């Protein structure tokens, strides 16, 4: 083992304590988030996420990603530690274009890929689209946006903070592609909110 | 009623499936929930039960279930039909989770052919076993064709098929696996539940997941989602009705099975949902003890051993 | 008599399991079979179960056959269900049948072939007369004579000899860096590539493939086959571990390979030439390998520009119906209770009949 690799291994943060049960619990929270868009769900079984990944973002990677899911990662998030951690625990191939990725990891403090840069799926297989996992400062910010659609009993108000200015305008365009389109999961700390493509945003 | 959890089987992963397979199914479930009613292909696995016997539902349940869950399994509405017993035993062995027959105690309900009479709540997940996920298959046997029909929402052929019934019989002669339109976009098979149960799918607070193991398809209906049974303005959708009530609990609102009682064509009608029926009988017995003057509603209850 | 509603239950299932165990064992005065006996003396049954069960493991296949009372389809199912729980440790390099240690090798297309025709073990020229001596308990000393010279381990494929003249299509080698389609991990994709089709056929039910192959010869498909070469023998399996970077041998397997030659009249782009169909099985499964090669060729109709008119040429039809585990499951699931649907239909048929009878009596009154 080279000195560099050994150094990396000692620094490498751990995975779940109980990979089987912890990923199951995380998945159920995530499934609830997608099934009930706008609701804040907690994923808090990972003790030590590699910064700058939030605990929720890292948990989603452990729960969803593996060698079959190409991953695109925002340069702001792609520290050596994060890349080593992802490679060791998820083995997901890292791709250079968001369009080639099943999961796209981005942070609002950086350049978030535009929604039309993501894979929208194929006409006969709309499920082959990218899922954007977007780190934001807070899921209970001051400004609210009204959502309607499947999983929402009437309407709900989502308070996602620090989104790029263009986000909701582009989301309206994403909705037009339905049943094609990208899906989004917002992550902040240990909390997540789901925004599947079926959700429409009231102007 | 609730059976406590036991230790899961040695030598197999929790819930039988390996973690890689669970991840594949979990990713598929998320996409299925994002596109309500759309059938998502998945790398289905061979299970230790035969295809057509619930392998799709079992794979879905195995991918979502955790040690804290309480599971109910029904077939034809009953907890004690052989296949329901067999599947419940499978999950007791491979997960050790608690099981129950009470619909309101379960947070995961795996079912074949029925939706419980007790309304589902938030926090509950119903997993349907689906033998044939494609609602258009009887009209068009080719997957390559039906996939195109779904892509462009070309569902005229189904409307025509239903209308042919009206022209011939004066009504739509379809009693189960009655086609639905989900989120005003995707035509969906409700799995072969009787059309009596279709209205329970509409805007349900629960998460509805569908697994077809042999055909390797998963689809889903999120909570509070429109699930409309196809019909025509002048021939609105309607469900089965019975002249009889349940011979055991007296229910006039539940789906009834016809039971043959003797060699002379004698028959009676009883609830297909055994939990619903047993609960009503217990409540009536308790009410009867409390108030001896109450009329006996369940006449034949004591004559039919369960 | 009066009936009561039949309720299944845990006890019934447990009792059924006991009964099947008792039935499987049969008369206890007769000695119990052991796995070695099945593996050694029911070798062809074991080979079929390994092939369609998709695991090369004689002991497991023999165990499955014992557990299934000799029912191949049930044994195949047992093996498949076990297979899905196994981790994937490595992906082997393609086997090279050109380096096979040949035990049997025949060609119907040339009288003599380089390396020689080798009849090997075959039932082909046995007269199908019941051998009553096998019913006796004896242990005769059957030892086949050994050839004076060993066979060539690198016997060239017969079919390659036609290549030089351009009489037969070249085998197109798939790119080494693209992974072959794997039906056990991905759902079927249509139209299917040849890798997906061949995998499906290799796992497909022998009886189904035999019938479909037969239909192509009887006019429901345009095959005019010649057995270019059929060979049986042992090949080595190698993997390239990531940290080693070179191939190492991990074992040896027996396979049956069939290269079928088919006539092709050609299209405007491609001149007339012979085309190929390919069959490969674990162990010794000649009937399956031949049928597979015929159906493989029939399903190549579209890529060769032929009309797709018959079921054997229709990849969607063949691939969707060839798997015995899928077909058995669906066909037998009708044994499960369906009374909810059935009574919904009873109600409907009563209503339809009432209308019909009313119409009949109206017609009679007029």
């Amino acid at each position: 083992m080279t000195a560099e690799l050994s150094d990396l291994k000692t620094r490498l943060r751990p995975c779940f304590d109980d990979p089987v049960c912890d990923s199951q619990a995380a998945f159920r929270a995530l499934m609830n988030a997608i099934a009930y868009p706008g609701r804040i769900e907690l994923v808090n079984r990972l003790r030590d996420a590699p910064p700058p990944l939030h605990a929720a973002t890292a948990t989603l990677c452990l729960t969803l990603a593996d060698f079959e899911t190409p991953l695109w990662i925002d340069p702001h998030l792609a520290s050596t530690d994060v890349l080593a951690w992802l490679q060791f625990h998820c083995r997901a191939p890292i791709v250079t274009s968001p369009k080639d990725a099943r999961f796209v990891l981005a942070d609002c403090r950086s350049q978030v890929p535009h929604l039309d840069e993501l894979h929208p799926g194929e006409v006969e297989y709309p499920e082959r689209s990218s899922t954007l996992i977007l780190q934001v400062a807070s899921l209970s910010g001051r400004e609210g946006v009204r959502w309607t659609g499947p999983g929402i009993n009437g309407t709900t108000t989502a308070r996602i903070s620090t989104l790029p200015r263009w986000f909701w305008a582009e989301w309206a365009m994403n909705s037009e592609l339905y049943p094609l389109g990208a899906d989004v999961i917002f992550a902040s700390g240990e909390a997540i909110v789901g925004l599947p493509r079926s959700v429409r945003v009231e102007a | 009623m609730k059976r406590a959890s036991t230790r899961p089987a040695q030598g197999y992963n929790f819930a039988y499936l390996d973690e890689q397979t669970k991840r594949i199914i979990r990713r598929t479930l998320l996409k299925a929930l994002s596109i309500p009613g759309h059938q998502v292909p998945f790398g289905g696995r061979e299970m230790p039960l035969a295809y057509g016997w619930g392998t799709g539902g079992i794979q879905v349940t195995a991918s979502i279930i955790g040690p804290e869950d309480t599971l109910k399994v029904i077939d034809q509405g009953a907890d004690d039909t052989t296949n329901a017993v067999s599947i419940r035993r499978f999950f007791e062995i491979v997960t050790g989770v608690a099981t129950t027959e009470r619909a309101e105690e379960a947070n995961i309900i795996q079912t074949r052919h029925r939706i419980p009479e007790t309304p589902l709540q938030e926090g509950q997940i119903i997993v349907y076993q689906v033998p044939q996920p494609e609602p258009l298959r009887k009209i068009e046997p080719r997957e390559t064709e039906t996939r195109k029909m779904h892509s462009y929402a070309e569902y005229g052929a189904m409307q025509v098929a239903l209308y042919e019934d009206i022209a011939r019989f004066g009504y739509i002669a379809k009693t189960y696996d009655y086609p639905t339109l989900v989120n005003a976009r995707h035509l969906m098979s409700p799995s072969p539940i009787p059309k009596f149960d279709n209205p329970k799918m509409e805007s349900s607070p629960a998460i509805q997941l569908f697994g077809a193991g042999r055909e390797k398809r998963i689809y889903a209906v999120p909570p509070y989602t429109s699930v409309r049974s196809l019909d025509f303005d002048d021939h609105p959708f309607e469900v089965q009705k019975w002249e009889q009530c349940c011979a055991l609990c007296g229910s006039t609102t539940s789906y009834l099975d016809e039971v043959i009682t003797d060699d002379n064509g004698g028959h009676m009608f009883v609830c297909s949902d055994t939990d619903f029926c047993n609960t009503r009988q217990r409540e009536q017995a308790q009410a009867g003890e409390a108030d001896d003057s109450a009329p006996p509603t369940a006449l034949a209850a004591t004559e039919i051993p369960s | 008599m009066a009936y009561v509603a039949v309720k299944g239950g845990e006890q019934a299932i447990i009792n059924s399991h006991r009964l099947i165990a008792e039935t499987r064992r049969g008369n206890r005065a007769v000695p119990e079979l052991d796995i070695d006996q099945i593996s050694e003396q029911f070798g062809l049954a074991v080979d079929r179960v390994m092939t369609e069960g998709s695991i090369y493991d004689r002991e497991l296949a023999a165990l499955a056959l014992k557990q299934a009372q000799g029912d191949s389809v049930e044994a195949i199912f047992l093996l498949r269900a076990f297979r899905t729980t196994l981790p994937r440790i490595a992906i082997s390099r393609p086997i090279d049948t050109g380096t096979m240690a040949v035990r049997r090798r025949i060609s119907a297309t040339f009288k003599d072939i380089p390396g020689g025709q080798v009849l090997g073990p075959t039932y082909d020229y046995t007269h199908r007369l019941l051998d009553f001596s096998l019913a006796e308990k004896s242990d005769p000393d059957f030892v086949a004579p050994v050839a004076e010279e060993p066979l060539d381990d690198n016997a060239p494929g017969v079919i390659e000899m036609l290549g030089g003249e351009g009489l037969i299509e070249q085998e197109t080698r798939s790119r080494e860096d693209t992974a072959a389609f794997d039906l056990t991990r991905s759902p079927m994709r249509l139209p299917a590539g040849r890798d997906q089709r061949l995998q499906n056929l290799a796992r497909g039910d022998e009886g189904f493939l035999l019938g479909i192959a037969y239909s192509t010869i009887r006019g429901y498909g345009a095959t005019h086959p010649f057995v270019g070469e059929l060979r049986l023998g042992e090949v080595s399996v190698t993997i390239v571990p990531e940290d080693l970077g070179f191939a190492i041998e991990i074992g040896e397997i027996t396979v049956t390979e069939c290269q079928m030659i088919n006539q092709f009249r050609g299209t405007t782009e491609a001149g007339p030439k012979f085309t190929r169909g390919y069959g490969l099985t674990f162990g010794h499964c000649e009937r399956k390998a031949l049928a597979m090669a015929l159906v493989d060729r029939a399903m190549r109709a579209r890529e060769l520009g032929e009309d797709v008119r018959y079921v054997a040429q229709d990849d969607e039809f063949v691939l969707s119906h060839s798997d015995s585990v899928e077909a058995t499951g669906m066909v037998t699931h009708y044994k499960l209770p369906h009374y909810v649907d059935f009574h919904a239909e009873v109600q409907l048929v009563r209503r339809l009949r009432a209308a019909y009878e009313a119409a009949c009596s109206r017609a009679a009154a007029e």
Side-chain angles (χ1 to χ4, degrees):
Chain A
M1 198 184 286
T2 64
E4 198 185 337
L5 191 59
S6 139
D7 180 39
L8 200 59
K9 283 219 164 147
T10 52
R11 276 190 324 192
L12 197 65
R13 282 156 208 272
C15 165
F16 293 128
D17 290 342
D18 179 349
V20 173
C21 289
D22 292 347
S23 54
Q24 185 273 338
F27 171 73
R28 284 286 282 281
L30 177 57
M31 185 166 81
N32 275 338
I34 297 291
Y36 298 94
R39 288 200 194 167
I40 296 174
E41 294 282 335
L42 286 181
V43 282
N44 52 7
R45 298 260 185 125
L46 184 66
R47 284 175 298 135
D48 202 5
L53 292 190
H54 295 185
T57 315
T59 300
L60 295 185
C61 291
L62 290 176
T63 307
L64 295 174
D66 56 36
F67 67 95
E68 292 181 322
T69 57
L71 197 72
W72 182 90
I73 180 161
D74 175 350
H76 172 76
L77 297 175
S79 71
T80 319
D81 280 6
V82 165
L83 288 175
W85 185 88
L86 283 172
Q87 194 171 11
F88 187 79
H89 292 304
C90 303
R91 295 189 298 144
I94 307 290
V95 293
T96 52
S97 158
K99 262 218 163 57
D100 298 330
R102 287 285 295 277
F103 297 104
V104 173
L105 297 187
D107 189 290
C108 275
R109 285 173 295 171
S110 177
Q111 292 271 316
V112 179
H114 285 270
L115 297 184
D116 64 1
E117 293 175 59
L118 306 178
H119 199 298
E122 298 162 29
V123 171
E124 292 184 10
Y125 300 95
E127 71 278 3
R128 292 187 184 151
S129 62
S130 315
T131 300
L132 171 64
I133 299 172
L134 187 54
Q135 283 194 173
V136 297
S138 166
L139 298 173
S140 42
R142 236 174 294 157
E143 276 178 57
V145 182
R146 297 231 295 174
W147 293 0
T148 60
I152 299 168
N153 194 4
T155 64
T156 189
T157 303
R159 302 182 178 280
I160 317 294
S161 71
T162 60
L163 286 176
R165 284 177 187 288
W166 46 260
F167 189 87
W168 295 116
E170 290 198 5
W171 184 258
M173 279 161 24
N174 191 63
S175 297
E176 293 301 313
L177 298 176
Y178 190 86
L180 278 76
D183 304 301
V184 180
I185 303 160
F186 299 110
S188 183
E190 292 186 334
I192 53 172
V193 163
L195 176 61
R197 71 192 78 180
S198 53
V199 168
R200 290 191 169 255
V201 170
E202 290 189 356
Chain B
M1 264 299 174
K2 191 160 158 176
R3 248 201 273 192
S5 60
T6 52
R7 268 186 53 202
Q10 301 288 306
Y12 284 98
N13 192 24
F14 178 82
Y16 179 80
L17 294 176
D18 60 284
E19 292 301 299
Q20 169 68 15
T21 302
K22 286 183 193 171
R23 261 195 309 274
I24 291 174
I25 294 172
R26 287 170 181 167
R27 291 193 295 253
T28 307
L29 286 168
L30 296 179
K31 288 297 181 189
L33 282 163
S34 302
I35 317 166
H38 166 68
Q39 301 164 51
V40 186
F42 76 111
R45 295 293 187 257
E46 268 133 348
M47 299 296 287
L49 267 83
Y51 281 126
W53 296 58
T55 56
I58 291 171
Q59 288 180 80
V60 170
T61 299
S63 303
I64 63 173
I65 201 165
E68 311 300 321
D69 285 316
T70 302
L71 176 71
K72 172 181 166 78
V73 182
I74 49 173
D75 188 334
Q76 314 295 301
D79 298 88
D80 60 355
T81 37
T82 37
N83 204 40
V85 170
S86 163
I87 291 172
R88 186 164 55 242
R89 269 182 54 138
F90 174 75
F91 279 111
E92 282 170 348
I93 293 167
V94 297
T95 67
V97 301
T99 56
T100 182
E101 295 190 2
R102 300 295 303 276
E104 63 268 33
E105 281 178 0
N107 51 357
I108 300 175
I109 300 173
Q110 179 165 329
T111 181
R112 176 168 169 265
H113 291 199
R114 278 306 315 273
I115 300 175
E117 308 291 1
T118 310
L120 300 177
Q121 306 297 330
E122 278 199 16
Q124 291 188 307
I125 302 165
I126 183 166
V127 178
Y128 298 84
Q129 299 172 201
V130 183
Q132 176 48 263
E134 179 48 71
L136 297 161
R137 188 59 74 233
K138 291 221 165 88
I139 295 170
E140 170 53 64
R142 284 182 184 277
E143 168 68 15
T144 37
E145 290 302 316
T146 52
R147 195 143 278 272
K148 284 194 199 103
M149 292 158 87
H150 287 293
S151 303
Y152 301 103
E154 279 173 12
Y155 299 136
M158 180 57 88
Q159 293 282 356
V160 169
L162 297 179
Y163 201 79
E164 279 171 357
D165 272 5
I166 293 175
R168 184 155 173 220
F169 306 116
Y171 50 89
I172 296 168
K174 201 154 174 49
T175 58
Y176 64 94
D177 203 9
Y178 191 102
T180 58
L181 193 68
V182 178
N183 191 27
R185 174 58 180 81
H186 280 96
L187 191 69
M188 183 187 89
S189 158
S191 85
I193 55 172
K195 65 178 179 179
F196 179 88
D197 284 339
N198 276 23
K200 297 176 186 166
M201 299 183 127
E202 164 75 22
S203 290
S204 169
I207 297 174
Q208 305 182 65
L209 306 176
F210 299 77
R214 186 181 43 81
E215 297 281 344
K216 300 182 177 61
R217 296 287 184 276
I218 281 172
Y219 54 101
V221 177
Y224 310 114
T225 298
S226 147
V227 181
R228 195 173 66 76
S229 300
L230 293 190
D231 61 0
F232 299 91
D233 289 342
D234 48 346
H235 289 275
F237 173 76
E238 53 183 30
V239 301
Q240 289 100 335
K241 292 187 195 75
W242 288 264
E243 289 163 11
Q244 302 82 353
C245 64
C246 170
L248 301 182
C249 77
S251 169
T252 54
T253 57
S254 61
Y255 189 86
L256 301 179
D257 285 335
E258 187 174 333
V259 180
I260 296 171
T261 50
D262 57 38
D263 288 340
N264 309 316
H267 56 200
M268 65 175 186
F269 291 84
V270 297
C271 292
S272 113
D273 184 335
T274 49
D275 166 48
F276 176 79
C277 194
N278 291 338
T279 304
R280 279 176 56 87
Q281 290 178 60
R282 256 195 318 278
E283 285 167 4
Q284 286 159 3
Q286 281 160 7
E289 278 167 26
D291 174 12
D292 280 340
S293 63
T297 41
L299 308 173
T302 50
E303 289 160 32
I304 308 291
S306 61
Chain C
M1 63 174 280
Y3 300 135
V4 293
V6 175
K7 295 289 183 189
E10 208 152 348
Q11 199 54 46
I13 291 178
I14 291 167
N15 289 345
S16 166
H17 291 175
R18 288 188 185 134
L19 200 53
I20 191 91
E22 188 186 313
T23 313
R24 178 192 300 126
R25 179 62 184 83
N27 183 352
R28 284 179 182 275
V30 176
E32 187 179 351
L33 272 174
D34 67 42
I35 301 302
D36 289 344
Q37 286 175 314
I38 297 171
S39 170
E40 290 296 315
Q41 296 173 41
F42 272 19
L44 296 182
V46 168
D47 288 348
R48 177 174 176 197
V49 170
M50 290 197 304
T51 297
E52 294 176 35
S54 286
I55 308 184
Y56 195 94
D57 188 322
R58 300 197 71 80
E59 248 177 61
L60 283 181
L63 170 64
L65 275 165
K66 178 176 177 177
Q67 189 177 331
Q69 290 177 266
D71 179 342
S72 322
V73 172
E74 181 70 21
I76 288 159
F77 182 12
L78 287 169
L79 220 50
R80 292 265 196 100
F82 177 75
R83 183 188 190 280
T84 54
T85 67
L86 299 175
R88 183 157 308 208
I89 299 164
I91 295 172
S92 76
R93 292 179 47 75
I95 57 169
D96 181 3
T97 51
T99 61
M100 177 189 282
V102 169
R103 282 195 282 140
R104 168 165 162 76
R105 173 172 184 256
I106 53 159
S107 171
T109 50
F110 293 94
K111 186 171 185 191
D112 203 7
I113 49 178
Q117 302 253 19
V118 182
L119 202 53
T122 175
Y123 285 100
D124 287 350
Y125 302 100
T126 61
H127 300 128
R128 265 65 174 210
L129 303 172
L130 275 177
D131 180 355
F132 291 101
S133 72
L134 289 174
E136 307 291 319
K137 214 164 177 114
S138 65
D139 197 10
D141 199 12
F142 293 126
V143 177
V146 177
E148 283 163 17
E149 282 180 45
L151 290 168
D152 190 348
D153 274 352
N154 288 297
V158 173
I159 206 160
E160 307 309 331
M161 296 190 298
L162 294 166
E165 257 188 276
L167 290 176
I168 191 160
E169 62 172 333
Q170 290 299 307
E171 193 81 291
T172 45
R173 209 185 161 79
S174 60
R175 287 170 48 206
E176 291 253 336
D177 57 342
T178 51
F181 193 93
D182 186 352
L183 276 170
T184 68
R185 307 191 64 79
S186 310
M188 196 160 76
R189 271 203 96 162
L190 293 164
R194 198 169 175 207
D195 50 353
Q196 188 186 161
R197 298 194 305 249
L198 286 170
Q199 186 192 14
N200 176 282
L201 296 180
R203 289 159 56 89
D205 181 70
E206 180 178 316
F208 176 84
L209 293 190
L210 184 66
I212 295 281
Y214 182 43
S215 77
T216 69
I217 304 161
R218 285 199 65 261
Y220 293 88
T223 51
H224 305 277
F226 302 93
V227 174
E229 183 172 351
L230 179 73
R231 50 166 77 186
L232 162 72
E234 282 65 43
V235 292
S236 63
V237 179
T238 57
I239 60 166
V240 181
E242 226 171 272
D243 38 356
L244 282 186
F246 55 86
I248 55 166
E249 187 177 327
I250 54 165
E252 191 180 72
I253 61 173
T254 303
V255 296
T256 307
E257 183 189 51
C258 175
Q259 290 269 10
M260 196 72 90
I261 299 174
N262 278 268
Q263 201 191 86
F264 179 56
R265 296 190 180 281
T267 57
T268 41
E269 297 90 55
K273 62 185 167 198
F274 291 111
T275 54
R276 301 165 185 248
Y278 188 75
L280 184 77
T281 74
F282 284 152
H284 191 184
C285 302
E286 287 186 23
R287 197 187 303 115
K288 166 77 183 262
L290 288 157
M292 176 174 169
L294 283 167
V295 181
D296 168 47
R297 172 59 187 82
M299 280 199 287
R300 296 182 61 209
R302 194 178 293 112
E303 72 183 70
L304 293 168
E306 297 170 334
D307 290 341
V308 176
R309 293 164 62 192
Y310 304 108
V311 289
Q313 298 166 319
D314 182 339
D315 57 347
E316 182 166 354
F317 181 88
V318 174
L319 267 54
S320 304
H321 301 113
S322 62
D323 192 276
S324 73
V325 178
E326 290 176 9
T328 300
M330 193 58 182
V331 169
T332 63
H333 108 282
Y334 288 102
K335 290 187 283 188
L336 285 176
H338 279 79
Y339 51 77
V340 165
D341 303 351
F342 179 70
H343 289 298
E345 291 288 279
V346 167
Q347 224 185 11
L348 173 66
V349 174
R350 278 186 185 137
R351 186 175 168 189
L352 294 174
R353 278 210 66 84
Y356 170 78
E357 277 157 16
C360 286
S361 52
R362 264 199 314 276
E366 283 163 19

